Amino acid sequence: YIDILYQKLEWLQRQFDFENIKGKIVMEPGSGYGFFLRQIYNELSDDNIYFCVDKNPYANIYLKQLLEMTDRNAKIIFITADLPELPLRPNVVDILVDFTGTSSYSFENEGFLPSLLDKYIKKQAIMLATYIIYHKFGPNNIVTEPYRDNFRYNNVRQNLLELEYELEKENKDKIEKVKEGYGKYEEFAQPGDQIHAYQVLAKRWG
């Protein structure tokens, strides 16, 4: 699973247009331990602002300490909050990075997180996202019925279109049939589940 994770990070990193994001504000909901941010940290512009949002204060502290060990001093703002309500004014974010943040949120919540956060996103915006998709929910699947819509490919894609994003690039993995659980840190993958990742670079023009 770690190998798959890094393949997804590399795909997102290749879509990140570092030459044209100077002065832009980036937000990553569910940033966790900063897998994606650590991939791109040295390439951020000095005038970028990057909001790391996570409900776990220890994840934010851990990530902050890791970044402070580098020679780089990018402008990172850590926000500990329960999504989707944030201490931000509306229409401030230029780029939304959703590296499984929506999927993590959706294990316990029904709303589609990008829709709930849209008040903070500018009308002209870029979204880079990776979603966990279940092609089939196995008999031991941990996602209860009320929360399953945000793990279905057609629903996720339609929700993005309803937010008026143009899906510029899409990447769907081959379906992985889970025969044995991946371990305690990947409880979402249970025997009988069929899973793949869906990645997208989406833009809207305001």
Side-chain angles (χ1 to χ4, degrees):
Y1 178 70
I2 295 298
D3 290 341
I4 294 172
L5 176 71
Y6 278 102
Q7 290 173 16
K8 303 309 109 195
L9 288 170
E10 290 172 2
W11 189 91
L12 286 187
Q13 186 176 12
R14 289 196 300 272
Q15 314 314 316
F16 215 92
D17 187 0
F18 294 100
E19 291 297 318
N20 295 309
I21 66 164
K22 294 181 179 180
K24 302 296 185 182
I25 294 177
V26 185
M27 180 171 72
E28 183 180 355
S31 50
Y33 295 105
F35 290 109
F36 180 73
L37 176 57
R38 283 186 274 160
Q39 286 284 106
I40 67 165
Y41 186 64
N42 289 328
E43 299 180 74
L44 291 173
S45 171
D46 289 339
D47 56 4
N48 285 132
I49 297 175
Y50 197 110
F51 291 115
C52 287
V53 183
D54 203 276
K55 67 178 182 180
N56 181 355
Y58 300 105
N60 278 336
I61 291 169
Y62 175 82
L63 178 55
K64 182 175 184 293
Q65 291 173 340
L66 278 183
L67 297 178
E68 287 173 344
M69 294 171 63
T70 71
D71 295 330
R72 187 79 172 84
N73 191 26
K75 295 176 182 176
I76 311 298
I77 296 176
F78 296 91
I79 299 175
T80 301
D82 287 321
L83 295 165
E85 294 305 317
L86 300 174
L88 297 176
R89 62 181 174 83
N91 304 312
V92 68
V93 175
D94 299 288
I95 302 170
L96 180 66
V97 172
D98 186 1
F99 183 62
T100 71
T102 290
S103 298
S104 297
Y105 177 82
S106 296
F107 285 117
E108 299 178 349
N109 299 274
E110 293 186 50
F112 186 61
L113 188 58
S115 300
L116 300 175
L117 295 175
D118 200 50
K119 61 185 176 183
Y120 305 113
I121 313 301
K122 293 180 179 177
K123 297 304 179 185
Q124 183 171 328
I126 297 171
M127 178 190 292
L128 279 163
T130 298
Y131 301 99
I132 297 169
I133 300 295
Y134 288 95
H135 179 72
K136 179 181 178 182
F137 296 92
N140 300 310
N141 185 271
I142 67 167
V143 185
T144 56
E145 188 62 43
Y147 306 134
R148 289 187 173 185
D149 280 353
N150 291 330
F151 294 97
R152 293 183 168 106
Y153 166 72
N154 288 338
N155 288 2
V156 170
R157 194 174 188 277
Q158 183 59 36
N159 282 330
L160 295 176
L161 293 173
E162 289 177 3
L163 288 169
E164 299 182 348
Y165 282 102
E166 178 183 323
L167 307 182
E168 190 165 287
K169 292 185 181 179
E170 298 176 87
N171 181 47
K172 287 177 65 177
D173 280 353
K174 69 175 183 179
I175 296 167
E176 180 79 18
K177 297 180 180 179
V178 181
K179 297 180 180 178
E180 296 182 6
Y182 291 172
K184 66 178 182 178
Y185 298 111
E186 289 85 43
E187 291 182 343
F188 65 88
Q190 296 293 325
D193 289 337
Q194 296 184 20
I195 303 175
H196 68 90
Y198 169 51
Q199 296 186 276
V200 60
L201 167 63
K203 297 180 181 180
R204 66 182 181 194
W205 311 104

